[in-house]
mmCIF file of all heavy atoms in Angstrom:
data_model
loop_
_atom_site.group_PDB
_atom_site.id
_atom_site.type_symbol
_atom_site.label_atom_id
_atom_site.label_comp_id
_atom_site.label_asym_id
_atom_site.label_seq_id
_atom_site.Cartn_x
_atom_site.Cartn_y
_atom_site.Cartn_z
ATOM 1 N N SER A 425 -58.005 6.576 27.243
ATOM 2 C CA SER A 425 -59.158 5.693 27.083
ATOM 3 C C SER A 425 -59.660 5.689 25.650
ATOM 4 O O SER A 425 -59.951 4.632 25.078
ATOM 5 C CB SER A 425 -60.279 6.124 28.039
ATOM 6 O OG SER A 425 -61.430 5.316 27.870
ATOM 7 N N ASP A 426 -59.762 6.879 25.032
ATOM 8 C CA ASP A 426 -60.228 6.970 23.645
ATOM 9 C C ASP A 426 -59.289 6.229 22.700
ATOM 10 O O ASP A 426 -59.737 5.527 21.777
ATOM 11 C CB ASP A 426 -60.327 8.439 23.217
ATOM 12 C CG ASP A 426 -61.503 9.152 23.858
ATOM 13 O OD1 ASP A 426 -62.399 8.466 24.390
ATOM 14 O OD2 ASP A 426 -61.523 10.401 23.838
ATOM 15 N N SER A 427 -57.982 6.379 22.903
ATOM 16 C CA SER A 427 -57.009 5.706 22.036
ATOM 17 C C SER A 427 -57.090 4.193 22.196
ATOM 18 O O SER A 427 -57.025 3.447 21.213
ATOM 19 C CB SER A 427 -55.595 6.197 22.350
ATOM 20 O OG SER A 427 -55.451 7.569 22.046
ATOM 21 N N LEU A 428 -57.241 3.735 23.438
ATOM 22 C CA LEU A 428 -57.373 2.301 23.670
ATOM 23 C C LEU A 428 -58.659 1.760 23.052
ATOM 24 O O LEU A 428 -58.686 0.640 22.524
ATOM 25 C CB LEU A 428 -57.352 2.007 25.173
ATOM 26 C CG LEU A 428 -56.025 2.278 25.893
ATOM 27 C CD1 LEU A 428 -56.185 2.072 27.392
ATOM 28 C CD2 LEU A 428 -54.905 1.391 25.347
ATOM 29 N N ARG A 429 -59.728 2.560 23.087
ATOM 30 C CA ARG A 429 -60.978 2.118 22.451
ATOM 31 C C ARG A 429 -60.811 2.015 20.938
ATOM 32 O O ARG A 429 -61.338 1.100 20.299
ATOM 33 C CB ARG A 429 -62.125 3.076 22.801
ATOM 34 C CG ARG A 429 -63.495 2.483 22.481
ATOM 35 C CD ARG A 429 -64.615 3.372 22.996
ATOM 36 N NE ARG A 429 -64.503 3.664 24.406
ATOM 37 C CZ ARG A 429 -64.826 2.814 25.373
ATOM 38 N NH1 ARG A 429 -65.252 1.606 25.072
ATOM 39 N NH2 ARG A 429 -64.699 3.176 26.641
ATOM 40 N N CYS A 430 -60.069 2.941 20.354
ATOM 41 C CA CYS A 430 -59.794 2.870 18.917
ATOM 42 C C CYS A 430 -58.981 1.627 18.575
ATOM 43 O O CYS A 430 -59.185 0.999 17.533
ATOM 44 C CB CYS A 430 -59.055 4.123 18.451
ATOM 45 S SG CYS A 430 -60.072 5.616 18.410
ATOM 46 N N ILE A 431 -58.049 1.258 19.466
ATOM 47 C CA ILE A 431 -57.288 0.029 19.272
ATOM 48 C C ILE A 431 -58.226 -1.178 19.315
ATOM 49 O O ILE A 431 -58.107 -2.107 18.505
ATOM 50 C CB ILE A 431 -56.188 -0.097 20.345
ATOM 51 C CG1 ILE A 431 -55.123 0.989 20.145
ATOM 52 C CG2 ILE A 431 -55.535 -1.475 20.301
ATOM 53 C CD1 ILE A 431 -54.070 1.031 21.237
ATOM 54 N N ASP A 432 -59.183 -1.170 20.253
ATOM 55 C CA ASP A 432 -60.190 -2.237 20.319
ATOM 56 C C ASP A 432 -60.934 -2.356 18.992
ATOM 57 O O ASP A 432 -61.159 -3.461 18.484
ATOM 58 C CB ASP A 432 -61.208 -1.959 21.429
ATOM 59 C CG ASP A 432 -60.622 -2.023 22.828
ATOM 60 O OD1 ASP A 432 -59.572 -2.669 22.998
ATOM 61 O OD2 ASP A 432 -61.209 -1.426 23.744
ATOM 62 N N ILE A 433 -61.344 -1.211 18.444
ATOM 63 C CA ILE A 433 -62.107 -1.197 17.196
ATOM 64 C C ILE A 433 -61.262 -1.738 16.050
ATOM 65 O O ILE A 433 -61.733 -2.525 15.214
ATOM 66 C CB ILE A 433 -62.604 0.222 16.886
ATOM 67 C CG1 ILE A 433 -63.649 0.653 17.924
ATOM 68 C CG2 ILE A 433 -63.195 0.305 15.482
ATOM 69 C CD1 ILE A 433 -64.017 2.120 17.861
ATOM 70 N N CYS A 434 -59.983 -1.341 16.000
ATOM 71 C CA CYS A 434 -59.090 -1.810 14.934
ATOM 72 C C CYS A 434 -58.882 -3.321 15.008
ATOM 73 O O CYS A 434 -58.949 -4.012 13.985
ATOM 74 C CB CYS A 434 -57.742 -1.102 15.016
ATOM 75 S SG CYS A 434 -57.773 0.633 14.524
ATOM 76 N N ILE A 435 -58.637 -3.837 16.203
ATOM 77 C CA ILE A 435 -58.408 -5.277 16.334
ATOM 78 C C ILE A 435 -59.685 -6.040 16.001
ATOM 79 O O ILE A 435 -59.647 -7.125 15.403
ATOM 80 C CB ILE A 435 -57.886 -5.646 17.742
ATOM 81 C CG1 ILE A 435 -57.230 -7.041 17.731
ATOM 82 C CG2 ILE A 435 -58.982 -5.605 18.780
ATOM 83 C CD1 ILE A 435 -55.901 -7.085 17.059
ATOM 84 N N GLY A 436 -60.851 -5.462 16.332
ATOM 85 C CA GLY A 436 -62.114 -6.089 15.969
ATOM 86 C C GLY A 436 -62.296 -6.157 14.461
ATOM 87 O O GLY A 436 -62.731 -7.181 13.917
ATOM 88 N N ALA A 437 -61.946 -5.064 13.769
ATOM 89 C CA ALA A 437 -62.062 -5.038 12.314
ATOM 90 C C ALA A 437 -61.090 -6.017 11.662
ATOM 91 O O ALA A 437 -61.415 -6.668 10.661
ATOM 92 C CB ALA A 437 -61.804 -3.628 11.798
ATOM 93 N N ILE A 438 -59.897 -6.145 12.210
ATOM 94 C CA ILE A 438 -58.905 -7.092 11.690
ATOM 95 C C ILE A 438 -59.412 -8.528 11.868
ATOM 96 O O ILE A 438 -59.303 -9.360 10.959
ATOM 97 C CB ILE A 438 -57.549 -6.884 12.386
ATOM 98 C CG1 ILE A 438 -56.953 -5.536 11.975
ATOM 99 C CG2 ILE A 438 -56.581 -8.010 12.045
ATOM 100 C CD1 ILE A 438 -55.747 -5.106 12.801
ATOM 101 N N CYS A 439 -59.998 -8.818 13.033
ATOM 102 C CA CYS A 439 -60.571 -10.145 13.269
ATOM 103 C C CYS A 439 -61.714 -10.430 12.296
ATOM 104 O O CYS A 439 -61.838 -11.565 11.787
ATOM 105 C CB CYS A 439 -61.072 -10.253 14.708
ATOM 106 S SG CYS A 439 -59.775 -10.395 15.958
ATOM 107 N N SER A 440 -62.556 -9.431 12.045
ATOM 108 C CA SER A 440 -63.676 -9.616 11.119
ATOM 109 C C SER A 440 -63.177 -9.895 9.709
ATOM 110 O O SER A 440 -63.743 -10.726 8.983
ATOM 111 C CB SER A 440 -64.568 -8.368 11.115
ATOM 112 O OG SER A 440 -65.230 -8.217 12.359
ATOM 113 N N TYR A 441 -62.107 -9.210 9.302
ATOM 114 C CA TYR A 441 -61.500 -9.464 7.987
ATOM 115 C C TYR A 441 -61.034 -10.917 7.903
ATOM 116 O O TYR A 441 -61.277 -11.610 6.900
ATOM 117 C CB TYR A 441 -60.324 -8.520 7.764
ATOM 118 C CG TYR A 441 -59.381 -8.954 6.656
ATOM 119 C CD1 TYR A 441 -59.651 -8.642 5.326
ATOM 120 C CD2 TYR A 441 -58.229 -9.687 6.949
ATOM 121 C CE1 TYR A 441 -58.795 -9.045 4.315
ATOM 122 C CE2 TYR A 441 -57.368 -10.092 5.945
ATOM 123 C CZ TYR A 441 -57.645 -9.771 4.635
ATOM 124 O OH TYR A 441 -56.799 -10.178 3.626
ATOM 125 N N TYR A 442 -60.380 -11.407 8.937
ATOM 126 C CA TYR A 442 -59.895 -12.790 8.936
ATOM 127 C C TYR A 442 -61.064 -13.763 8.801
ATOM 128 O O TYR A 442 -60.998 -14.753 8.056
ATOM 129 C CB TYR A 442 -59.110 -13.065 10.223
ATOM 130 C CG TYR A 442 -57.622 -12.955 10.057
ATOM 131 C CD1 TYR A 442 -57.036 -11.739 9.698
ATOM 132 C CD2 TYR A 442 -56.786 -14.048 10.235
ATOM 133 C CE1 TYR A 442 -55.668 -11.617 9.542
ATOM 134 C CE2 TYR A 442 -55.410 -13.944 10.078
ATOM 135 C CZ TYR A 442 -54.854 -12.727 9.732
ATOM 136 O OH TYR A 442 -53.499 -12.612 9.567
ATOM 137 N N ASN A 443 -62.146 -13.494 9.544
ATOM 138 C CA ASN A 443 -63.313 -14.360 9.466
ATOM 139 C C ASN A 443 -63.919 -14.348 8.066
ATOM 140 O O ASN A 443 -64.264 -15.403 7.510
ATOM 141 C CB ASN A 443 -64.348 -13.913 10.501
ATOM 142 C CG ASN A 443 -65.611 -14.742 10.464
ATOM 143 O OD1 ASN A 443 -66.638 -14.284 9.960
ATOM 144 N ND2 ASN A 443 -65.558 -15.952 10.980
ATOM 145 N N GLU A 444 -64.044 -13.174 7.471
ATOM 146 C CA GLU A 444 -64.606 -13.060 6.116
ATOM 147 C C GLU A 444 -63.732 -13.768 5.096
ATOM 148 O O GLU A 444 -64.233 -14.441 4.177
ATOM 149 C CB GLU A 444 -64.756 -11.583 5.746
ATOM 150 C CG GLU A 444 -65.837 -10.871 6.543
ATOM 151 C CD GLU A 444 -65.726 -9.363 6.470
ATOM 152 O OE1 GLU A 444 -64.807 -8.879 5.754
ATOM 153 O OE2 GLU A 444 -66.518 -8.676 7.114
ATOM 154 N N GLN A 445 -62.404 -13.626 5.233
ATOM 155 C CA GLN A 445 -61.496 -14.285 4.296
ATOM 156 C C GLN A 445 -61.528 -15.801 4.455
ATOM 157 O O GLN A 445 -61.483 -16.539 3.460
ATOM 158 C CB GLN A 445 -60.074 -13.769 4.495
ATOM 159 C CG GLN A 445 -59.864 -12.334 4.041
ATOM 160 C CD GLN A 445 -60.173 -12.156 2.564
ATOM 161 O OE1 GLN A 445 -59.540 -12.765 1.709
ATOM 162 N NE2 GLN A 445 -61.156 -11.323 2.267
ATOM 163 N N LEU A 446 -61.619 -16.267 5.690
ATOM 164 C CA LEU A 446 -61.699 -17.710 5.917
ATOM 165 C C LEU A 446 -62.953 -18.283 5.263
ATOM 166 O O LEU A 446 -62.897 -19.315 4.572
ATOM 167 C CB LEU A 446 -61.700 -17.997 7.417
ATOM 168 C CG LEU A 446 -61.813 -19.463 7.847
ATOM 169 C CD1 LEU A 446 -60.714 -20.312 7.219
ATOM 170 C CD2 LEU A 446 -61.774 -19.571 9.375
ATOM 171 N N ILE A 447 -64.085 -17.599 5.440
ATOM 172 C CA ILE A 447 -65.331 -18.052 4.804
ATOM 173 C C ILE A 447 -65.197 -18.009 3.281
ATOM 174 O O ILE A 447 -65.572 -18.962 2.585
ATOM 175 C CB ILE A 447 -66.509 -17.176 5.264
ATOM 176 C CG1 ILE A 447 -66.787 -17.392 6.753
ATOM 177 C CG2 ILE A 447 -67.766 -17.489 4.453
ATOM 178 C CD1 ILE A 447 -67.817 -16.437 7.334
ATOM 179 N N SER A 448 -64.645 -16.918 2.749
ATOM 180 C CA SER A 448 -64.497 -16.766 1.303
ATOM 181 C C SER A 448 -63.625 -17.870 0.711
ATOM 182 O O SER A 448 -63.946 -18.449 -0.332
ATOM 183 C CB SER A 448 -63.898 -15.392 0.982
ATOM 184 O OG SER A 448 -63.644 -15.251 -0.400
ATOM 185 N N PHE A 449 -62.509 -18.169 1.366
ATOM 186 C CA PHE A 449 -61.605 -19.214 0.853
ATOM 187 C C PHE A 449 -62.300 -20.573 0.860
ATOM 188 O O PHE A 449 -62.122 -21.378 -0.067
ATOM 189 C CB PHE A 449 -60.332 -19.271 1.702
ATOM 190 C CG PHE A 449 -59.248 -18.332 1.242
ATOM 191 C CD1 PHE A 449 -59.506 -16.981 1.042
ATOM 192 C CD2 PHE A 449 -57.966 -18.792 1.004
ATOM 193 C CE1 PHE A 449 -58.513 -16.111 0.617
ATOM 194 C CE2 PHE A 449 -56.961 -17.946 0.582
ATOM 195 C CZ PHE A 449 -57.229 -16.589 0.385
ATOM 196 N N LEU A 450 -63.100 -20.837 1.895
ATOM 197 C CA LEU A 450 -63.803 -22.110 1.970
ATOM 198 C C LEU A 450 -64.914 -22.184 0.921
ATOM 199 O O LEU A 450 -65.126 -23.237 0.299
ATOM 200 C CB LEU A 450 -64.379 -22.314 3.370
ATOM 201 C CG LEU A 450 -63.357 -22.448 4.506
ATOM 202 C CD1 LEU A 450 -64.074 -22.619 5.847
ATOM 203 C CD2 LEU A 450 -62.407 -23.610 4.264
#
């Protein structure tokens, strides 16, 4: 469960990076 939660956190951070980069490029 802890490892899967860490995976959730990592994928969330990756998604946030994509959102920030999309805004920055625009």
Side-chain angles (χ1 to χ4, degrees):
S425 178
D426 287 345
S427 295
L428 293 175
R429 195 173 305 283
C430 288
I431 293 174
D432 293 338
I433 293 169
C434 288
I435 198 73
I438 292 169
C439 287
S440 292
Y441 163 84
Y442 262 63
N443 179 255
E444 291 164 2
Q445 290 300 299
L446 179 56
I447 293 173
S448 175
F449 272 52
L450 295 179

